[in-house]
Amino acid sequence: MNNKANNGQWGLITGCARQYGLGEAFAKNLARKNVNLVLVDILEGELQIRAQELIAQYGIEVRTVVLDMGRDDIIAELTSATQDLEITMLVCNHYYLSAGEFHTISVDEHIKMMNVNVRSYMLMAHYFGKKMIKKGQGDIVMVSSLSAIMPLPFNVHYSSFKAYISNMAEALHGEMKPHGVNSISVIAPFMNSADAREADIPQWILADTNKVVKAVISKLGKRSRIIPGFSSALLYFIFVRLMGRTKGLSRFGKLIWESVKNVALEKKG
C-alpha cells in the first residue's frame, strides 16, 4: 500500500474498535489530518477491520494493540507498542459498564469497572502526560459522560467513575497547560453509537459522533471541559433545573435504566 507523506505525528486512541463509535470518529478525524494512529481495544476482529479501513482510506500508518484495559500490566504493553513513537495525541475513550442495582452487582464486577474506568485512565495520563511534558507539547482527551454531572441510579459506580475522569482531566489542564500540554474532559452526550442503536433510546437525543469529535478538537487548549450537543443541555435543564436535582436525577436514572436494561442484561449473559 502506498502511504502518502505524513507529518510524523502519532495519536493513540483506546476504545476504537466498534463501528459508529466515538473512538472510530476520533480515529477518522485524526487520520484526515494525516496523523498516524495506535489503536487500542479488546475486540481484536473489529479492531483489525477499523485499522485496515483507515489505512486504505487515508494512507496513514496504523498499529493495533489488543488489550484488556483492566489488566495490571497495561503500561508495559503500551510502552512496548509505542517506545519508538512520539505520541502527541492521547484519546482515552474505553469503558466497562455493568449496569443494574448497586447491591446486585458483585464486588468483583465493581472492582473490574474501577480498574478499567479509573485506574487505567490514571496510568495512561501519568505515563503519556509525563512524556508530553518533557517534549513540551501534546493533547490529552478524556471521555467522560453526562452521568458525571447527572449521577444515575442503576449506574451508581459508572457515574462516579465518570466524575473522577472529568475532574482529573480538568485538573490536569491547569497543571499541564504551562508545559505546552492540553487536557480536556469530554462530557459525552448520548450519541448514535452502536450501543445506542441497540437500546430503546429516542433518536432525537442522540448526537452525531463526528460532530462531537469536531467540537472537542476545536476546543483543545481553549477549554478544560466541553459538553457538546444540544440534547445534553436540554436534558440537564429538564431533569435538574426544572424537576429539582434529587427528584430529577432519580427519574432520569430510572428512565435510562429502562431504556438500556434489556441490552445490559443480554450482555451479562
Side-chain angles (χ1 to χ4, degrees):
M1 300 179 187
N2 294 322
N3 285 4
K4 59 188 176 184
N6 57 60
N7 54 21
Q9 291 186 322
W10 283 83
L12 187 151
I13 307 172
T14 64
C16 51
R18 297 294 303 276
Q19 189 177 23
Y20 309 121
L22 185 62
E24 181 195 41
F26 267 109
K28 288 183 176 180
N29 186 281
L30 293 178
R32 291 190 194 101
K33 299 176 183 296
N34 214 18
V35 177
N36 302 313
L37 296 171
V38 179
L39 305 180
V40 183
D41 206 295
I42 195 172
L43 303 174
E44 182 174 8
E46 292 181 75
L47 186 64
Q48 298 304 331
I49 292 172
R50 300 287 87 76
Q52 292 306 313
E53 289 173 346
L54 291 167
I55 292 170
Q57 187 170 357
Y58 301 102
I60 61 169
E61 291 185 62
V62 179
R63 295 185 186 181
T64 59
V65 182
V66 179
L67 184 60
D68 178 351
M69 297 304 291
R71 281 170 41 179
D72 291 339
D73 61 345
I74 62 167
I75 294 302
E77 289 290 321
L78 295 175
T79 299
S80 176
T82 63
Q83 58 187 347
D84 60 329
L85 307 177
E86 182 179 336
I87 302 297
T88 56
M89 167 75 82
L90 173 65
V91 180
C92 297
N93 178 61
H94 61 281
Y95 73 95
Y96 177 72
L97 170 61
S98 189
E101 292 180 283
F102 181 83
H103 291 95
T104 66
I105 299 172
S106 71
V107 170
D108 286 343
E109 276 290 285
H110 282 301
I111 291 174
K112 182 176 181 179
M113 281 194 284
M114 187 179 301
N115 288 337
V116 174
N117 299 322
V118 174
R119 181 179 179 274
S120 65
Y121 274 68
M122 178 276 293
L123 291 173
M124 294 182 72
H126 188 273
Y127 176 74
F128 289 105
K130 192 173 183 179
K131 294 172 75 70
M132 290 177 182
I133 288 173
K134 187 175 181 180
K135 291 290 185 179
Q137 65 171 347
D139 298 293
I140 297 177
V141 176
M142 293 194 179
V143 179
S144 181
S145 82
L146 196 58
S147 65
I149 57 175
M150 296 175 64
L152 299 180
F154 307 102
N155 281 282
V156 172
H157 224 167
Y158 181 75
S159 61
S160 300
F161 295 151
K162 287 300 185 181
Y164 171 89
I165 291 170
S166 182
N167 286 342
M168 178 169 62
E170 287 194 77
L172 285 176
H173 178 82
E175 288 189 15
M176 301 171 75
K177 182 69 174 175
H179 299 284
V181 180
N182 303 308
S183 174
I184 190 168
S185 163
V186 182
I187 305 298
F190 295 105
M191 295 172 287
N192 59 346
S193 61
D195 288 339
R197 293 171 189 226
E198 296 173 5
D200 185 23
I201 298 177
Q203 295 298 301
W204 68 268
I205 71 172
L206 301 180
D208 181 82
T209 54
N210 292 304
K211 291 182 179 179
V212 170
V213 170
K214 289 179 180 178
V216 173
I217 298 298
S218 70
K219 298 304 180 183
L220 272 172
K222 300 174 184 177
R223 292 187 186 176
S224 62
R225 186 177 80 162
I226 181 172
I227 309 178
F230 168 76
S231 62
S232 295
L234 179 61
L235 289 171
Y236 184 79
F237 178 75
I238 292 173
F239 285 98
V240 177
R241 297 298 184 185
L242 285 184
M243 299 180 68
R245 185 174 180 86
T246 301
K247 180 180 178 181
L249 295 182
S250 177
R251 294 278 292 274
F252 187 62
K254 290 178 182 178
L255 174 66
I256 297 304
W257 172 239
E258 289 300 321
S259 298
V260 304
K261 180 168 58 177
N262 291 336
V263 174
L265 294 177
E266 283 175 9
K267 289 186 176 181
K268 282 186 178 182

